[in-house]
Amino acid sequence: VRFNVDIYAHITIDAFRCITCCDKPCLYVCPVKNYVLCDEGVTLSWQGCLECGACRISCPEGAICWKYPRGGFGVCFRYG
């Protein structure tokens, strides 16, 4: 697996919508645990994202805006 990290995030969280979510399934469905609950709410470390989209699908509030990284950036499986 190869990561070519972009300086621009391909995932953003709408904090206002996120605050209204009680269950916060993004904390549990992300296979690499990129979402962490802190005092300010949910924080995200998008640099290690595997681009599976599970967070976006599981978010009941629609607070996660997820798109593919720009061309040449992101994760490459079976690289080399």
Side-chain angles (χ1 to χ4, degrees):
V1 176
R2 176 185 64 94
F3 287 94
N4 190 7
V5 179
D6 195 355
I7 59 171
Y8 302 106
H10 65 283
I11 304 172
T12 56
I13 300 174
D14 182 342
F16 182 73
R17 284 184 179 177
C18 186
I19 259 180
T20 62
C21 181
C22 296
D23 297 330
K24 303 210 184 321
C26 60
L27 299 173
Y28 309 105
V29 301
C30 180
V32 290
K33 307 292 184 214
N34 280 341
Y35 294 86
V36 176
L37 187 60
C38 64
D39 294 337
E40 295 83 32
V42 174
T43 59
L44 166 67
S45 173
W46 53 268
Q47 295 88 344
C49 179
L50 295 178
E51 300 170 23
C52 67
C55 57
R56 176 184 52 152
I57 294 167
S58 70
C59 182
E61 301 298 324
I64 298 173
C65 178
W66 188 98
K67 60 184 183 214
Y68 284 105
R70 297 182 307 150
F73 294 98
V75 65
C76 291
F77 297 101
R78 296 183 159 216
Y79 182 76

